[in-house]
Amino acid sequence: QVKKQCDQKLLIRMKTKCVPCSLNLDTQCPAGYTKITNGTGTPDCRYYLEIKTHTLSFLGCRHRCVKEFEQPECCQGHWGPDCIGK
């Protein structure tokens, strides 16, 4: 039995919205994603507050999330929707 389908595993990464670190403990990743950071997340972003005529910038936190996705792909020498060989 020759293997016709060689699906590729892709890792999709994303980050949650930047918020004050103290508010980031309960932040969840979108459905289907797994949170890979702990606690308040990573303090690597800035969020902004507008106060009348000024905009203030603060250091914030966000979480990193990943989702594994399997991309259907034919093995070398096979093609088409059913991965038919030569």
Side-chain angles (χ1 to χ4, degrees), residues 43-54:
D44 67 347
C45 60
R46 299 199 77 75
Y47 66 96
Y48 302 91
L49 282 181
E50 285 183 34
I51 300 170
K52 294 186 180 172
T53 57
H54 300 288

Side-chain angles (χ1 to χ4, degrees), residues 2-73:
V2 177
K3 193 174 177 199
K4 297 181 208 171
Q5 190 141 354
C6 296
D7 293 348
Q8 295 293 314
K9 279 192 178 176
L10 300 175
L11 212 55
I12 301 168
R13 300 171 190 273
M14 59 92 56
K15 293 175 183 170
T16 58
K17 198 175 119 194
C18 189
V19 296
C21 296
S22 58
L23 301 179
N24 204 34
L25 272 168
D26 298 325
T27 299
Q28 296 301 313
C29 292
Y33 283 82
T34 305
K35 193 191 289 186
I36 58 169
T37 43
N38 297 318
T40 58
T42 313
D44 67 347
C45 60
R46 299 199 77 75
Y47 66 96
Y48 302 91
L49 282 181
E50 285 183 34
I51 300 170
K52 294 186 180 172
T53 57
H54 300 288
T55 301
L56 303 177
S57 169
F58 297 96
L59 180 66
C61 290
R62 55 190 173 176
H63 283 290
R64 296 174 194 274
C65 309
V66 292
K67 179 181 187 178
E68 203 171 83
F69 177 74
E70 210 157 90
Q71 170 118 5
E73 209 166 283

